Amino acid sequence: MKGSPESPHSETRARGPSFLRVAVAALALLTAVAAWAAGPYVEGLTWEYRGRDLVASFGVGDALDRPDLKELIQSTQPVNLFFTVEVVKHRTLWKDKLVVRHVVVHTVRFDNLTRQYSLETQVDDKVTDQRAVGSWAEMASYMKEVKDLTVTSVANLEPSEGGYSIRVRVHVLTNFVLWIFPWDVQTPWVSQTLETP
């Protein structure tokens, strides 16, 4: 009938599909975040005393398999993996004390002309290694591992009632949710108890 007021439910029906689209988009975003949260992870953390030094090796899994990281590497931009290793002294009735921290940075840059990957390692901002490799497999093997890092001297590990731990975390990259909010892709800390020599 002409001129008759619209049903009060017509506005609700019109908003229904719009609300559904927003809900589906939010669910897709949450699913993507949950999938990203599943990896990466620290793997192969080992340590030993060699003479007067504590030496550790560790790596990261499910980092270079990420499609976004692969695309970034192949785009010729430099890509960094940050490995943080710490030794912590546990104290009864006090906050844990940080004994030492090292940050190892592996950097890769792909060269479109030579089809090679230039690799560099820095430990605490000092370059310790540079090389070039010709295949993705060689590059990935280098990037995902830190081998035989001298963490600290035994002299820094005095007998302690609470003991010591070594822990490692790896920062893979910073994503942006909806291109606005930064979101770090990194592993949780992985920790092992240290036996003092």
Side-chain angles (χ1 to χ4, degrees):
M1 184 171 162
K2 257 185 174 179
S4 66
E6 290 186 17
S7 162
H9 301 293
S10 63
E11 188 179 331
T12 304
R13 275 189 300 242
R15 277 189 283 174
S18 175
F19 174 76
L20 184 59
R21 280 193 293 269
V22 170
V24 168
L27 182 61
L29 179 63
L30 289 175
T31 303
V33 168
W36 289 338
Y41 58 91
V42 172
E43 64 180 2
L45 173 57
T46 60
W47 59 269
E48 64 178 320
Y49 293 110
R50 289 188 193 163
R52 303 284 301 161
D53 292 325
L54 169 67
V55 177
S57 297
F58 40 87
V60 62
D62 283 355
L64 296 172
D65 299 330
R66 296 173 54 92
D68 52 353
L69 199 59
K70 282 184 176 179
E71 184 179 332
L72 197 58
I73 291 171
Q74 295 301 112
S75 75
T76 72
Q77 294 184 50
V79 173
N80 300 311
L81 296 183
F82 296 85
F83 298 80
T84 302
V85 58
E86 297 180 343
V87 172
V88 177
K89 180 179 183 178
H90 304 291
R91 300 184 291 186
T92 308
L93 302 177
W94 289 93
K95 184 178 165 185
D96 292 345
K97 178 184 177 184
L98 179 65
V99 177
V100 67
R101 172 187 292 137
H102 295 292
V103 178
V104 179
V105 182
H106 285 332
T107 303
V108 57
R109 183 191 292 260
F110 180 63
D111 188 324
N112 268 333
L113 297 175
T114 64
R115 309 302 293 173
Q116 288 192 319
Y117 300 91
S118 296
L119 303 170
E120 179 181 276
T121 296
Q122 293 185 23
V123 178
D124 301 328
D125 296 324
K126 294 178 183 172
V127 175
T128 59
D129 186 43
Q130 290 179 312
R131 63 181 74 183
V133 297
S135 72
W136 178 275
E138 289 174 293
M139 178 276 295
S141 176
Y142 181 94
M143 287 289 289
K144 72 179 187 176
E145 291 182 338
V146 174
K147 291 184 180 178
D148 299 330
L149 175 70
T150 300
V151 180
T152 192
S153 167
V154 172
N156 295 326
L157 304 176
E158 302 166 351
S160 166
E161 183 182 326
Y164 292 87
S165 291
I166 184 170
R167 63 186 185 183
V168 174
R169 180 170 66 187
V170 185
H171 180 273
V172 175
L173 71 129
T174 300
N175 271 341
F176 286 86
V177 177
L178 301 176
W179 300 280
I180 299 171
F181 306 106
W183 176 62
D184 289 333
V185 178
Q186 61 188 8
T187 69
W189 285 104
V190 169
S191 181
Q192 289 185 11
T193 301
L194 284 177
E195 298 168 12
T196 50

